[in-house]
Amino acid sequence: MAGISVVAAIAIIWIGSWFAHRLVRDGHPGALAYKPADMPPPVDLASIQRGWPDSLEEPAERGRLVAYLHDPARQASAVKPAAATAPAAPVDLGALLLKADANAGKAKAAVCMTCHDLTQGGPNRIGPNLWGVIGRGVGSHPGFSYSPAMAAQHGNWTYDRIFIFLASPARVVPGTKMGFPGFSRPEDRAAVIKYLVTLGNNPPPLPPPS
Ligand code: HEC
């Protein structure tokens, strides 16, 4: 009996190892198990660039470049990825305001006047009266019913703050009821602000250019 079970155990081990060898490929992991005939030789991108475009006169060189261009994996390893997002250049608001033209700003502010009165002592309309708004407390004009979002803001309308707000009011103060998409060009915002500065008795000094 003992002899039979030993034989059976050996048989099981032998069959098991035979299966294991069928399952696991021999050889160096990562090496290709076959050698395709049509694999192009590795491309030395630097030498192609150095010889450009003369090196492409040769059909073999051209073929290698075409093969290279069709092989995204190889490109990925040869080409360094560009920085994901270049940091935006900081805006020099002082310099922008120095250059800005109040008259051009007045023309641009025509759109503001569809909702805002800009005169001293003028009424609130769809939006609050904007006389002297620069330096004024945010959401502070008497008699105007601000949105909860605007009413919850603290502090004053500094140059920086109004410059950022006018780029995209709804994004800067989510929930604002100011239905104006904003001016994306910093120059346009600076011009409007330069005009707003003229509409006040005591505007804060312009920020110095940095
Ligand atoms: C479609 C109407 C509309 C237009 C156009 C509009 N606004 Fe407004 N604005 C409003 C409303 C409404 C509010 C009040 C926002 C709130 O309470 O959320 C407001 C608020 C403001 C405030 C905050 C005022 C305060 O007392 O805190 C500023 C600053 C402002 N607007 C500037 C401008 C400028 C500058 C323009 C033109 C570039 C402009 N707005 C165009 C409707 C408008």
Side-chain angles (χ1 to χ4, degrees):
M1 277 308 262
I4 290 172
S5 48
V6 167
V7 169
I10 290 170
I12 287 166
I13 290 166
W14 185 82
I15 291 168
S17 94
W18 181 81
F19 265 114
H21 277 99
R22 308 265 346 196
L23 285 173
V24 179
R25 220 183 265 255
D26 278 329
H28 196 275
L32 283 177
Y34 60 98
K35 180 103 182 107
D38 58 351
M39 263 305 246
V43 170
D44 178 1
L45 186 58
S47 80
I48 290 180
Q49 283 171 340
R50 265 198 304 279
W52 186 282
D54 294 344
S55 61
L56 297 182
E57 295 303 314
E58 268 193 57
E61 204 60 34
R62 238 178 331 216
R64 281 168 62 196
L65 181 64
V66 169
Y68 167 81
L69 292 175
H70 281 88
D71 186 345
R74 197 172 299 173
Q75 285 178 45
S77 63
V79 181
K80 285 215 183 75
T85 43
V91 175
D92 183 351
L93 182 54
L96 269 181
L97 286 172
L98 205 64
K99 266 199 310 186
D101 173 22
N103 275 324
K106 182 176 184 175
K108 296 220 176 295
V111 63
C112 318
M113 292 180 217
T114 57
C115 296
H116 292 281
D117 186 280
L118 304 180
T119 60
Q120 183 167 19
N124 292 319
R125 294 180 46 213
I126 296 170
N129 180 284
L130 287 186
W131 174 265
V133 70
I134 294 170
R136 189 167 93 186
V138 177
S140 72
H141 195 264
F144 185 78
S145 164
Y146 289 93
S147 64
M150 190 63 81
Q153 302 282 313
H154 301 283
N156 296 335
W157 284 115
T158 61
Y159 288 101
D160 266 325
R161 196 165 180 182
I162 202 162
F163 179 75
I164 293 167
F165 176 67
L166 291 180
S168 175
R171 240 193 287 164
V172 178
V173 181
T176 181
K177 59 179 180 177
M178 172 154 152
F180 174 69
F183 285 126
S184 57
R185 289 186 67 234
E187 292 79 9
D188 292 346
R189 280 175 275 151
V192 168
I193 292 169
K194 191 87 172 253
Y195 174 57
L196 290 178
V197 177
T198 68
L199 309 174
N201 297 325
N202 215 349
L206 290 177
S210 56

